mmCIF file of all heavy atoms in Angstrom:
data_model
loop_
_atom_site.group_PDB
_atom_site.id
_atom_site.type_symbol
_atom_site.label_atom_id
_atom_site.label_comp_id
_atom_site.label_asym_id
_atom_site.label_seq_id
_atom_site.Cartn_x
_atom_site.Cartn_y
_atom_site.Cartn_z
ATOM 1 N N GLN A 1033 -34.161 78.212 -25.909
ATOM 2 C CA GLN A 1033 -34.350 79.651 -25.943
ATOM 3 C C GLN A 1033 -33.020 80.468 -26.118
ATOM 4 O O GLN A 1033 -32.969 81.381 -26.900
ATOM 5 C CB GLN A 1033 -35.080 80.084 -24.645
ATOM 6 C CG GLN A 1033 -36.499 79.566 -24.537
ATOM 7 C CD GLN A 1033 -37.194 80.026 -23.257
ATOM 8 O OE1 GLN A 1033 -36.648 80.914 -22.547
ATOM 9 N NE2 GLN A 1033 -38.409 79.583 -23.006
ATOM 10 N N PHE A 1034 -32.086 80.023 -25.374
ATOM 11 C CA PHE A 1034 -30.754 80.670 -25.513
ATOM 12 C C PHE A 1034 -30.178 80.675 -26.915
ATOM 13 O O PHE A 1034 -29.785 81.718 -27.489
ATOM 14 C CB PHE A 1034 -29.821 80.113 -24.515
ATOM 15 C CG PHE A 1034 -28.406 80.634 -24.626
ATOM 16 C CD1 PHE A 1034 -28.018 81.819 -24.012
ATOM 17 C CD2 PHE A 1034 -27.359 79.962 -25.267
ATOM 18 C CE1 PHE A 1034 -26.787 82.409 -24.071
ATOM 19 C CE2 PHE A 1034 -26.127 80.518 -25.372
ATOM 20 C CZ PHE A 1034 -25.857 81.737 -24.763
ATOM 21 N N THR A 1035 -30.209 79.498 -27.467
ATOM 22 C CA THR A 1035 -29.651 79.356 -28.835
ATOM 23 C C THR A 1035 -30.494 80.127 -29.861
ATOM 24 O O THR A 1035 -29.989 80.757 -30.772
ATOM 25 C CB THR A 1035 -29.521 77.878 -29.217
ATOM 26 O OG1 THR A 1035 -28.737 77.208 -28.303
ATOM 27 C CG2 THR A 1035 -28.856 77.728 -30.581
ATOM 28 N N TRP A 1036 -31.824 79.995 -29.709
ATOM 29 C CA TRP A 1036 -32.707 80.684 -30.618
ATOM 30 C C TRP A 1036 -32.455 82.227 -30.541
ATOM 31 O O TRP A 1036 -32.375 82.838 -31.630
ATOM 32 C CB TRP A 1036 -34.148 80.385 -30.260
ATOM 33 C CG TRP A 1036 -35.223 81.050 -31.116
ATOM 34 C CD1 TRP A 1036 -35.615 82.322 -30.976
ATOM 35 C CD2 TRP A 1036 -35.870 80.515 -32.212
ATOM 36 N NE1 TRP A 1036 -36.602 82.615 -31.829
ATOM 37 C CE2 TRP A 1036 -36.761 81.552 -32.720
ATOM 38 C CE3 TRP A 1036 -35.821 79.255 -32.847
ATOM 39 C CZ2 TRP A 1036 -37.569 81.304 -33.808
ATOM 40 C CZ3 TRP A 1036 -36.714 79.045 -33.984
ATOM 41 C CH2 TRP A 1036 -37.450 80.099 -34.363
ATOM 42 N N ASP A 1037 -32.326 82.843 -29.352
ATOM 43 C CA ASP A 1037 -32.116 84.174 -29.262
ATOM 44 C C ASP A 1037 -30.813 84.631 -29.821
ATOM 45 O O ASP A 1037 -30.685 85.716 -30.446
ATOM 46 C CB ASP A 1037 -32.195 84.533 -27.774
ATOM 47 C CG ASP A 1037 -33.628 84.413 -27.241
ATOM 48 O OD1 ASP A 1037 -34.567 84.184 -27.993
ATOM 49 O OD2 ASP A 1037 -33.772 84.386 -25.971
ATOM 50 N N MET A 1038 -29.747 83.806 -29.564
ATOM 51 C CA MET A 1038 -28.436 84.142 -30.161
ATOM 52 C C MET A 1038 -28.415 84.126 -31.648
ATOM 53 O O MET A 1038 -27.907 85.022 -32.323
ATOM 54 C CB MET A 1038 -27.397 83.155 -29.604
ATOM 55 C CG MET A 1038 -25.971 83.413 -30.038
ATOM 56 S SD MET A 1038 -24.870 82.155 -29.527
ATOM 57 C CE MET A 1038 -25.440 80.822 -30.441
ATOM 58 N N VAL A 1039 -29.129 83.138 -32.243
ATOM 59 C CA VAL A 1039 -29.241 83.069 -33.728
ATOM 60 C C VAL A 1039 -29.991 84.208 -34.223
ATOM 61 O O VAL A 1039 -29.695 84.814 -35.247
ATOM 62 C CB VAL A 1039 -29.769 81.743 -34.149
ATOM 63 C CG1 VAL A 1039 -30.132 81.702 -35.658
ATOM 64 C CG2 VAL A 1039 -28.931 80.617 -33.786
ATOM 65 N N SER A 1040 -31.111 84.546 -33.487
ATOM 66 C CA SER A 1040 -31.889 85.737 -33.945
ATOM 67 C C SER A 1040 -31.067 87.025 -33.976
ATOM 68 O O SER A 1040 -31.250 87.818 -34.885
ATOM 69 C CB SER A 1040 -33.122 85.835 -32.994
ATOM 70 O OG SER A 1040 -33.882 84.666 -33.055
ATOM 71 N N GLN A 1041 -30.340 87.280 -32.897
ATOM 72 C CA GLN A 1041 -29.535 88.542 -32.841
ATOM 73 C C GLN A 1041 -28.516 88.506 -33.920
ATOM 74 O O GLN A 1041 -28.319 89.585 -34.667
ATOM 75 C CB GLN A 1041 -28.826 88.579 -31.509
ATOM 76 C CG GLN A 1041 -29.739 88.723 -30.332
ATOM 77 C CD GLN A 1041 -30.307 90.063 -30.174
ATOM 78 O OE1 GLN A 1041 -29.879 91.052 -30.764
ATOM 79 N NE2 GLN A 1041 -31.308 90.242 -29.275
ATOM 80 N N GLU A 1042 -27.901 87.399 -34.272
ATOM 81 C CA GLU A 1042 -26.977 87.339 -35.336
ATOM 82 C C GLU A 1042 -27.607 87.539 -36.709
ATOM 83 O O GLU A 1042 -27.049 88.133 -37.619
ATOM 84 C CB GLU A 1042 -26.238 85.953 -35.282
ATOM 85 C CG GLU A 1042 -25.058 85.794 -36.249
ATOM 86 C CD GLU A 1042 -23.868 86.748 -35.999
ATOM 87 O OE1 GLU A 1042 -23.712 87.113 -34.786
ATOM 88 O OE2 GLU A 1042 -23.107 87.179 -36.866
ATOM 89 N N LEU A 1043 -28.779 86.985 -36.830
ATOM 90 C CA LEU A 1043 -29.528 87.110 -38.089
ATOM 91 C C LEU A 1043 -29.920 88.561 -38.308
ATOM 92 O O LEU A 1043 -29.806 89.021 -39.425
ATOM 93 C CB LEU A 1043 -30.790 86.214 -38.066
ATOM 94 C CG LEU A 1043 -31.628 86.223 -39.287
ATOM 95 C CD1 LEU A 1043 -30.916 85.734 -40.515
ATOM 96 C CD2 LEU A 1043 -32.966 85.429 -39.071
ATOM 97 N N ALA A 1044 -30.324 89.236 -37.306
ATOM 98 C CA ALA A 1044 -30.727 90.633 -37.423
ATOM 99 C C ALA A 1044 -29.497 91.490 -37.855
ATOM 100 O O ALA A 1044 -29.587 92.307 -38.709
ATOM 101 C CB ALA A 1044 -31.272 91.147 -36.098
ATOM 102 N N ALA A 1045 -28.312 91.206 -37.234
ATOM 103 C CA ALA A 1045 -27.151 91.901 -37.664
ATOM 104 C C ALA A 1045 -26.754 91.674 -39.073
ATOM 105 O O ALA A 1045 -26.294 92.552 -39.801
ATOM 106 C CB ALA A 1045 -25.982 91.636 -36.641
ATOM 107 N N THR A 1046 -26.910 90.380 -39.451
ATOM 108 C CA THR A 1046 -26.558 90.065 -40.853
ATOM 109 C C THR A 1046 -27.565 90.728 -41.811
ATOM 110 O O THR A 1046 -27.091 91.282 -42.895
ATOM 111 C CB THR A 1046 -26.602 88.566 -40.997
ATOM 112 O OG1 THR A 1046 -25.802 87.892 -40.093
ATOM 113 C CG2 THR A 1046 -26.180 88.118 -42.432
ATOM 114 N N PHE A 1047 -28.874 90.716 -41.492
ATOM 115 C CA PHE A 1047 -29.770 91.433 -42.388
ATOM 116 C C PHE A 1047 -29.498 92.918 -42.485
ATOM 117 O O PHE A 1047 -29.576 93.510 -43.511
ATOM 118 C CB PHE A 1047 -31.209 91.235 -41.848
ATOM 119 C CG PHE A 1047 -31.819 89.926 -42.240
ATOM 120 C CD1 PHE A 1047 -32.672 89.186 -41.367
ATOM 121 C CD2 PHE A 1047 -31.662 89.412 -43.490
ATOM 122 C CE1 PHE A 1047 -33.249 88.042 -41.722
ATOM 123 C CE2 PHE A 1047 -32.235 88.184 -43.893
ATOM 124 C CZ PHE A 1047 -33.020 87.566 -43.007
ATOM 125 N N LEU A 1048 -29.074 93.503 -41.388
ATOM 126 C CA LEU A 1048 -28.812 94.931 -41.393
ATOM 127 C C LEU A 1048 -27.634 95.229 -42.246
ATOM 128 O O LEU A 1048 -27.629 96.162 -43.080
ATOM 129 C CB LEU A 1048 -28.580 95.481 -40.013
ATOM 130 C CG LEU A 1048 -28.373 96.944 -39.850
ATOM 131 C CD1 LEU A 1048 -29.583 97.730 -40.351
ATOM 132 C CD2 LEU A 1048 -28.202 97.288 -38.331
ATOM 133 N N VAL A 1049 -26.533 94.459 -42.107
ATOM 134 C CA VAL A 1049 -25.359 94.640 -42.943
ATOM 135 C C VAL A 1049 -25.645 94.323 -44.384
ATOM 136 O O VAL A 1049 -25.149 95.048 -45.248
ATOM 137 C CB VAL A 1049 -24.208 93.746 -42.409
ATOM 138 C CG1 VAL A 1049 -23.020 93.802 -43.328
ATOM 139 C CG2 VAL A 1049 -23.737 94.071 -41.000
ATOM 140 N N LEU A 1050 -26.484 93.382 -44.661
ATOM 141 C CA LEU A 1050 -26.795 93.055 -46.066
ATOM 142 C C LEU A 1050 -27.602 94.206 -46.709
ATOM 143 O O LEU A 1050 -27.341 94.595 -47.833
ATOM 144 C CB LEU A 1050 -27.721 91.789 -46.094
ATOM 145 C CG LEU A 1050 -28.282 91.376 -47.445
ATOM 146 C CD1 LEU A 1050 -27.108 91.117 -48.459
ATOM 147 C CD2 LEU A 1050 -29.127 90.159 -47.264
ATOM 148 N N GLY A 1051 -28.537 94.818 -45.925
ATOM 149 C CA GLY A 1051 -29.254 95.935 -46.458
ATOM 150 C C GLY A 1051 -28.355 97.135 -46.733
ATOM 151 O O GLY A 1051 -28.529 97.841 -47.774
ATOM 152 N N VAL A 1052 -27.482 97.431 -45.819
ATOM 153 C CA VAL A 1052 -26.559 98.534 -45.985
ATOM 154 C C VAL A 1052 -25.639 98.288 -47.172
ATOM 155 O O VAL A 1052 -25.435 99.217 -48.012
ATOM 156 C CB VAL A 1052 -25.726 98.742 -44.695
ATOM 157 C CG1 VAL A 1052 -24.625 99.733 -44.953
ATOM 158 C CG2 VAL A 1052 -26.654 99.166 -43.538
ATOM 159 N N ARG A 1053 -25.184 97.074 -47.358
ATOM 160 C CA ARG A 1053 -24.288 96.759 -48.445
ATOM 161 C C ARG A 1053 -25.034 96.910 -49.846
ATOM 162 O O ARG A 1053 -24.539 97.469 -50.769
ATOM 163 C CB ARG A 1053 -23.767 95.344 -48.491
ATOM 164 C CG ARG A 1053 -22.608 95.197 -47.366
ATOM 165 C CD ARG A 1053 -21.388 96.016 -47.791
ATOM 166 N NE ARG A 1053 -20.216 95.790 -46.961
ATOM 167 C CZ ARG A 1053 -19.238 94.973 -47.340
ATOM 168 N NH1 ARG A 1053 -19.216 94.376 -48.488
ATOM 169 N NH2 ARG A 1053 -18.212 94.801 -46.417
ATOM 170 N N ARG A 1054 -26.251 96.518 -49.813
ATOM 171 C CA ARG A 1054 -27.073 96.631 -51.080
ATOM 172 C C ARG A 1054 -27.394 98.122 -51.357
ATOM 173 O O ARG A 1054 -27.334 98.578 -52.432
ATOM 174 C CB ARG A 1054 -28.358 95.802 -50.936
ATOM 175 C CG ARG A 1054 -28.141 94.350 -51.064
ATOM 176 C CD ARG A 1054 -29.432 93.613 -50.886
ATOM 177 N NE ARG A 1054 -29.213 92.139 -51.098
ATOM 178 C CZ ARG A 1054 -30.217 91.234 -50.847
ATOM 179 N NH1 ARG A 1054 -31.386 91.643 -50.393
ATOM 180 N NH2 ARG A 1054 -29.889 89.949 -51.096
ATOM 181 N N ARG A 1055 -27.592 98.907 -50.318
ATOM 182 C CA ARG A 1055 -27.925 100.302 -50.479
ATOM 183 C C ARG A 1055 -26.676 101.010 -50.946
ATOM 184 O O ARG A 1055 -26.725 101.828 -51.958
ATOM 185 C CB ARG A 1055 -28.314 100.956 -49.179
ATOM 186 C CG ARG A 1055 -28.752 102.393 -49.275
ATOM 187 C CD ARG A 1055 -28.704 103.036 -47.937
ATOM 188 N NE ARG A 1055 -27.432 103.172 -47.395
ATOM 189 C CZ ARG A 1055 -27.113 103.347 -46.058
ATOM 190 N NH1 ARG A 1055 -28.076 103.316 -45.109
ATOM 191 N NH2 ARG A 1055 -25.870 103.513 -45.692
ATOM 192 N N GLN A 1056 -25.484 100.732 -50.386
ATOM 193 C CA GLN A 1056 -24.248 101.321 -50.856
ATOM 194 C C GLN A 1056 -23.897 100.898 -52.279
ATOM 195 O O GLN A 1056 -23.409 101.721 -53.047
ATOM 196 C CB GLN A 1056 -23.086 100.968 -49.877
ATOM 197 C CG GLN A 1056 -23.223 101.565 -48.555
ATOM 198 C CD GLN A 1056 -22.199 101.030 -47.561
ATOM 199 O OE1 GLN A 1056 -21.497 100.152 -47.865
ATOM 200 N NE2 GLN A 1056 -22.053 101.745 -46.389
#
Side-chain angles (χ1 to χ4, degrees):
Q1033 296 183 3
F1034 174 80
T1035 305
W1036 179 276
D1037 295 344
M1038 183 184 65
V1039 172
S1040 299
Q1041 296 284 350
E1042 187 66 27
L1043 180 61
T1046 305
F1047 276 144
L1048 185 58
V1049 175
L1050 176 60
V1052 171
R1053 281 298 185 99
R1054 287 178 176 173
R1055 186 197 70 199
Q1056 292 175 349

